[in-house]
Amino acid sequence: MLSSSDKDRRDVRHFSEPLVSVVIPAFNAFRYIERTLRSAGRQTYRNLEIIVINDGSTDDTAKVVEQVALEDSRIRLLSTPNRGVAAARNTGIQEAAGWFVAFLDADDLWHQTKIEKQVNALKCLSPQWAAVYVLHYIINSHDEILRSCRPDVARGYIFARHLTFKYVGNGSALLVRRDVALEIGGFDSSYAAAGIGGCEDLDFELRLAARYHIEVVPERLVGYRQYPGNMSSNHLQMGRGALEVVRRSLAANAPLPKYATKSATNATQKYAFWEFRQARNTYLSLVTIWSILRSEPSFVVRLALEKCLRLRQLCLRLVTATANGRDPPQLNGSKFDQQIVPSSVEHPDETAQFRRHLMRLTEVDAELSSILEPLANGFAPAAINHKPRLRSRTLESDI
């Protein structure tokens, strides 16, 4: 049974711009929820409703939300039993009155121009463009910027590339048309039920990317918080979840060329390997690195060389610190707040091999898109199967 901190439905204001529904799932988010709400409330795009789904919290999350809502009538609190982040987001989508839905995790932050830039990017495009994402910074518990995300971006039909490069990066970066979010079935709560929750946003993005075009605002407008105890810090669960998401996505969509399938599998196995390493799970680390070794032995060789180099650098730093009689210096990051001036990301350094790899995946996306376009317009030629097998012009050894 849902309960509301105010009335069941806020009156939608009369704005010339479309309403955006901000959906914030919150479970025991007392520590960060006020900062998150204020970052949503200070958006330069004003026509918002902010829906907080209190997912069975046992701390003071609901009380903090109610206090902030006294200052901002756009905030609405809904309380449910604890069912996980996917179910909470789905509740928010169902309750949303907006044309667009933007997702914000209860410990993350937005730059004040995020929603304005996303709406401006998407509203002038055709309905075949269903969503728009932005880039992010990694921040700590004090809102300090630790590092930047890798500035890889792609736009248009990006399904094959997204399987490998996972451009969106986190659950707070995406704005989507509400009708499309409902059409693709929302978020899949079966991952949490299986004990591998945490990558539901990737699953949602891949189902979206398989059917629609996606736009990008290439600026870092999200502060994605990492700290011990949050969902992304459960490395074992994240690694297993990512492998399962990609497995399901490959099984559910049109058979891809071996090159694209192998690329997606290899990239996800590498991510899972690092997660298992951080979880100190020796068995899964060895199983995963063995799979990588069989498909890409050069990665394992580079891994061993880099490990030797890191050990050497660590020894040098320890020797220097001991000689100087003081601890190594600590870096103090700037804050992710309203004073940050967003700028377009730099173009990443790319090797010739990487460019060839990206070009081949782009060709796969172009072919998939050419098949999808007639279906999106309600026309299915007899020669086109709804699950076409793409021709492969590459060899497995080319990766």
Side-chain angles (χ1 to χ4, degrees):
M1 182 69 180
L2 297 174
S3 63
S4 173
S5 64
D6 194 359
K7 53 186 179 179
D8 291 337
R9 203 73 151 176
R10 77 170 183 86
D11 294 328
V12 177
R13 301 177 184 179
H14 297 286
F15 284 87
S16 59
E17 296 288 353
L19 178 68
V20 175
S21 299
V22 179
V23 172
I24 305 177
F27 173 70
N28 288 347
F30 165 76
R31 185 178 179 186
Y32 301 108
I33 188 65
E34 180 177 357
R35 279 180 268 176
T36 297
L37 286 172
R38 296 198 186 283
S39 82
R42 73 167 71 104
Q43 291 294 298
T44 54
Y45 191 93
R46 302 303 298 168
N47 194 18
L48 304 176
E49 64 169 356
I50 302 170
I51 306 171
V52 181
I53 313 300
N54 178 29
D55 186 36
S57 297
T58 57
D59 63 3
D60 288 334
T61 294
K63 184 183 296 183
V64 174
V65 174
E66 289 169 345
Q67 289 172 347
V68 180
L70 294 175
E71 306 170 21
D72 190 339
S73 62
R74 297 172 300 171
I75 297 174
R76 184 155 54 101
L77 175 66
L78 304 175
S79 294
T80 68
N82 179 248
R83 297 176 298 161
V85 66
R89 285 177 182 154
N90 289 340
T91 297
I93 296 170
Q94 291 288 345
E95 289 291 311
W99 186 262
F100 300 117
V101 177
F103 305 103
L104 175 58
D105 288 347
D107 50 5
D108 291 344
L109 302 176
W110 281 346
H111 187 269
Q112 59 187 352
T113 63
K114 174 187 178 286
I115 296 298
E116 180 181 3
K117 290 177 177 178
Q118 287 184 299
V119 171
N120 288 341
L122 194 59
K123 69 181 182 181
C124 58
L125 297 173
S126 74
Q128 188 58 25
W129 293 77
V132 54
Y133 67 97
V134 299
L135 302 181
H136 65 276
Y137 289 106
I138 303 295
I139 62 174
N140 63 15
S141 58
H142 302 293
D143 303 347
E144 294 170 336
I145 296 173
L146 300 178
R147 62 185 182 277
S148 303
C149 68
R150 181 174 166 80
D152 294 311
V153 297
R155 65 185 297 271
Y157 189 85
I158 64 171
F159 175 66
R161 284 168 287 172
H162 194 42
L163 275 165
T164 290
F165 297 112
K166 303 168 181 61
Y167 294 107
V168 181
N170 65 84
S172 298
L174 194 69
L175 179 142
V176 63
R177 299 184 192 274
R178 178 178 179 270
D179 60 340
V180 172
L182 291 170
E183 176 199 320
I184 66 173
F187 291 82
D188 190 341
S189 59
S190 69
Y191 293 99
I196 52 174
C199 293
E200 292 92 340
D201 49 339
L202 175 61
D203 175 89
F204 180 85
E205 294 155 17
L206 286 170
R207 285 185 284 116
L208 187 68
R211 302 189 193 184
Y212 289 94
H213 289 53
I214 297 176
E215 181 59 289
V216 59
V217 175
E219 297 180 22
R220 296 186 179 98
L221 301 176
V222 170
Y224 177 59
R225 198 182 305 276
Q226 288 188 349
Y227 58 94
N230 71 339
M231 182 176 289
S232 63
S233 69
N234 188 329
H235 300 292
L236 180 61
Q237 191 166 288
M238 293 293 290
R240 293 176 61 210
L243 290 171
E244 180 62 11
V245 165
V246 171
R247 187 197 68 79
R248 291 188 193 182
S249 189
L250 290 172
N253 291 285
L256 299 177
K258 288 182 179 179
Y259 182 85
T261 300
K262 184 179 179 182
S263 173
T265 302
N266 283 357
T268 310
Q269 285 178 335
K270 291 173 189 175
Y271 168 82
F273 169 72
W274 290 116
E275 292 295 301
F276 297 151
R277 280 278 303 274
Q278 292 185 80
R280 301 183 185 278
N281 189 305
T282 303
Y283 172 74
L284 287 178
S285 296
L286 290 174
V287 168
T288 308
I289 200 67
W290 176 249
S291 296
I292 297 171
L293 178 63
R294 289 185 297 171
S295 61
E296 192 179 345
S298 60
F299 172 79
V300 182
V301 174
R302 289 196 305 271
L303 186 69
L305 292 175
E306 288 170 2
K307 184 176 179 65
C308 292
L309 181 62
R310 283 197 301 271
L311 286 172
R312 181 175 180 273
Q313 291 173 337
L314 178 61
C315 291
L316 288 174
R317 285 199 299 270
L318 289 174
V319 169
T320 302
T322 302
N324 293 337
R326 60 177 181 269
D327 293 333
Q330 300 295 316
L331 295 178
N332 293 317
S334 58
K335 290 270 190 176
F336 184 93
D337 56 23
Q338 63 267 32
Q339 303 302 320
I340 291 246
V341 178
S343 60
S344 297
V345 299
E346 68 281 2
H347 191 71
D349 294 331
E350 297 173 349
T351 64
Q353 182 182 11
F354 178 86
R355 287 194 294 271
R356 288 194 300 270
H357 179 39
L358 180 60
M359 185 177 299
R360 288 178 174 176
L361 293 178
T362 303
E363 290 173 355
V364 173
D365 279 328
E367 190 169 353
L368 276 173
S369 181
S370 68
I371 295 169
L372 190 68
E373 288 290 343
L375 301 180
N377 295 326
F379 171 66
I384 296 179
N385 189 295
H386 283 261
K387 293 193 70 175
R389 179 174 293 279
L390 300 181
R391 62 184 180 276
S392 176
R393 296 180 292 164
T394 60
L395 301 174
E396 284 191 3
S397 58
D398 288 338
I399 292 184

